Amino acid sequence: MSLAADFERCADLYADNVALCGPDSSVDYHELRENSLRAAEWLSGTRSADDRSRIGLAARNSSAWVIAYLGILHAGAVPFLIDASVGDSELDRILDDCSLDLLLHDRDAAHDSIHALPGLTAIHRHLGERRHLLHPDTEVCRFTSGTTGKPNCLEFSGRAVHAAAENWATGTGMTADDRILCCAGLSNGLAFNTSLLSTFLVGAQLHLSHGLPTSGRIRRLVAGAQATRLVAFPALYDSFVRTGSSRADFASVRVAISSGAPLRADTKRQFTELTGVPIGNYYGVAEVGPLTYSTTSAAESLGCPLPGVNIETRGSDAQDGAVHVRSASMATRYLNAPGLLESRIDGNGHYATGDRGRMVEGQLVLTGRSNRMINVGGRKVDPVEVGNAVSSVPGVEHAVVLEVPDQHGEPAVAAVLVLREGLGADEVRLRARESLAAHKVPTLIRVVDAIPTTVIGKPVLHELRSLFDAGPS
């Protein structure tokens, strides 16, 4: 069954239920189907260099985004879901690298943009021969930052997308009574896997937010939607804790979902203490979809595998090994990096995540990254281990550990810190030595007011590295 047919079934089952509430409109399942079919009529006229049109969707969360996405599927085309925040040069690179025929966007209209669908404009592309041909099973493409110096375009079959949504809904107990407030961009795996098809499969309501997700604004949206689930990146939960949220702010919420970047243990604990709402930690990998889920108070646990997921840890130490995963929601390949994804999957279909961890009573605990070690004089240093040790020093609000070259050009352990008033870098070094070997203690430290992050809450590493260009601290 195709993804378009999936949604048709949902629209028949839940026709009169409210399906979607966005900043621009609110529609039931019947209206959402009718609007997406009208969009499909317009999109069906898109010219293609092969049998299926490739349509990029780079816009903020809105009803128009969801209607366009469903319209692309109904038109028999392939949606390429692009982060709305990407810069113009990166967007141009994606358009060319993936041979897109059309771009739907909500940016300031360019000279070659035309009115397309309500809330969106379009840019047609004039293409010759395709650089890379789509896999016959591909129904959706999404992007992940890759090790190749460009965004890697992941191809997903309809079966994989359906499996991710169904297994998430089943594994986390979603029902038609749920009202999901999604504060993450729908092109991102956190939102795509937890809040789009999964919502529709059970007949629930999807409430969308776009723009700057300030804590006050999201509190108002929670109250207005009477949301039962909140989906957001860790930075928003940090904000709730800083501003002193209360149970009254989240009276309707049964669970908060977090992923995309590490969630601070203190944030998880304090948010639940303040609001009474557990945070569901979700571990996923872009290439294989959602893998685990947990609302346990144990900060180190990422929970049990979701349905359709198998996790193995491999190495000489059975209690701490390389994490390999297999799921029903795995991508088929990278469209623009032939052979790369396949090289990371073994003969049994397990993908090498690059993480290290162990299984404890059926739950996954991550202990570091196996392929991001810092080589200090021939000795390997795990930045995750160092980051955990530095973060445990009282007064360290936020810490990012990374590799930078020292004055001789050799790899060095560096840290960028946000500190409470009165705490200095030398004191952090001294306290870190209590739990770390000498060669693991950061030799280079910069103290900042705030860590620069991407829209999903991950540190912007090139900005952090630039802090060390002036030399040692």
Side-chain angles (χ1 to χ4, degrees):
M1 180 182 291
S2 68
L3 293 176
D6 258 348
F7 179 71
E8 284 293 294
R9 183 181 63 83
C10 297
D12 287 337
L13 285 172
Y14 312 116
D16 297 327
N17 289 11
V18 174
L20 181 65
C21 296
D24 47 350
S25 65
S26 175
V27 293
D28 62 28
Y29 278 81
H30 172 75
E31 292 168 328
L32 183 55
R33 170 167 57 189
E34 293 304 306
N35 290 342
S36 62
L37 289 174
R38 281 194 291 273
E41 290 179 9
W42 188 88
L43 292 166
S44 294
T46 304
R47 299 186 66 178
S48 168
D50 58 13
D51 61 332
R52 289 178 293 169
S53 296
R54 305 180 186 190
I55 302 178
L57 181 53
R60 295 166 296 171
N61 286 1
S62 65
S63 298
W65 191 103
V66 178
I67 290 167
Y69 169 70
L70 294 173
I72 296 168
L73 295 175
H74 280 299
V78 177
F80 284 66
L81 308 183
I82 304 168
D83 188 334
S85 68
V86 301
D88 290 341
S89 60
E90 185 173 356
L91 182 59
D92 287 340
R93 186 173 185 177
I94 288 172
L95 298 177
D96 291 337
D97 201 31
C98 298
S99 306
L100 302 192
D101 301 294
L102 183 76
L103 173 68
L104 298 174
H105 66 95
D106 61 355
R107 302 177 180 218
D108 292 337
H111 69 278
D112 53 351
S113 292
I114 61 171
H115 177 71
L117 305 172
L120 298 172
T121 53
I123 299 175
H124 281 286
R125 309 279 293 169
H126 303 286
L127 298 170
E129 186 177 354
R130 299 286 194 195
R131 292 185 63 193
H132 306 287
L133 296 179
L134 287 166
H135 189 280
D137 292 339
T138 297
E139 290 193 45
V140 175
C141 288
R142 293 180 40 244
F143 292 86
T144 181
S145 56
T147 56
T148 57
K150 63 181 180 182
N152 288 336
C153 178
L154 290 162
E155 295 186 66
F156 290 93
S157 68
R159 294 186 305 276
V161 174
H162 177 98
E166 183 174 54
N167 292 339
W168 175 262
T170 300
T172 65
M174 286 180 70
T175 72
D177 294 329
D178 274 312
R179 296 174 296 279
I180 295 92
L181 174 58
C182 181
C183 304
L186 288 168
S187 64
N188 183 270
L190 169 60
F192 184 79
N193 291 320
T194 70
S195 306
L196 195 55
L197 180 57
S198 56
T199 297
F200 299 148
L201 286 178
V202 299
Q205 295 179 23
L206 176 57
H207 295 253
L208 297 174
S209 166
H210 75 216
L212 186 64
T214 62
S215 58
R217 182 168 177 269
I218 299 305
R219 286 190 188 97
R220 292 190 291 273
L221 289 173
V222 167
Q226 286 295 286
T228 61
R229 290 190 176 206
L230 176 62
V231 177
F233 295 113
L236 184 58
Y237 298 113
D238 289 336
S239 178
F240 286 137
V241 168
R242 285 195 303 271
T243 55
S245 298
S246 69
R247 181 56 187 159
D249 296 322
F250 297 90
S252 61
V253 179
R254 293 196 289 265
V255 67
I257 311 296
S258 174
S259 190
L263 176 68
R264 289 167 56 91
D266 284 350
T267 295
K268 183 175 183 178
R269 175 182 54 79
Q270 292 175 30
F271 179 82
T272 301
E273 288 176 353
L274 288 167
T275 67
V277 177
I279 293 184
N281 235 2
Y282 147 43
Y283 171 61
V285 177
E287 289 82 356
V288 293
L291 297 169
T292 70
Y293 176 74
S294 172
T295 57
T296 179
S297 59
E300 70 278 3
S301 170
L302 290 169
C304 297
L306 289 163
V309 173
N310 176 261
I311 299 177
E312 297 180 357
T313 57
R314 304 175 184 174
S316 56
D317 181 356
Q319 297 302 310
D320 183 6
V323 178
H324 293 250
V325 298
R326 184 180 65 220
S327 78
S329 53
M330 293 179 71
T332 307
R333 64 183 185 182
Y334 296 121
L335 172 66
N336 57 342
L340 180 60
L341 181 60
E342 297 90 325
S343 71
R344 298 172 179 170
I345 299 174
D346 65 21
N348 294 319
H350 285 81
Y351 173 79
T353 66
D355 289 320
R356 294 191 66 82
R358 59 182 180 270
M359 300 298 293
V360 180
E361 296 181 352
Q363 300 197 30
L364 177 65
V365 175
L366 293 185
T367 57
R369 291 284 295 177
S370 60
N371 61 352
R372 292 184 181 174
M373 296 292 185
I374 302 172
N375 189 331
V376 179
R379 291 179 291 186
K380 299 295 190 297
V381 177
D382 184 348
V384 174
E385 178 193 4
V386 178
N388 289 339
V390 171
S391 295
S392 68
V393 174
V396 175
E397 298 281 358
H398 199 170
V400 177
V401 175
L402 66 162
E403 175 185 328
V404 300
D406 63 15
Q407 59 184 333
H408 306 294
E410 296 298 322
V413 181
V416 180
L417 309 176
V418 177
L419 304 178
R420 290 180 190 163
E421 187 174 354
L423 181 65
D426 288 341
E427 177 67 16
V428 173
R429 281 196 188 96
L430 184 63
R431 296 294 300 275
R433 288 193 182 100
E434 296 174 5
S435 57
L436 292 173
H439 71 279
K440 296 181 179 181
V441 176
T443 55
L444 302 174
I445 292 180
R446 296 290 184 270
V447 178
V448 297
D449 293 331
I451 300 291
T453 60
T454 67
V455 292
I456 68 170
K458 291 184 177 181
V460 183
L461 293 180
H462 71 272
E463 290 189 26
L464 297 181
R465 288 192 178 97
S466 70
L467 297 174
F468 298 89
D469 291 345
S473 58

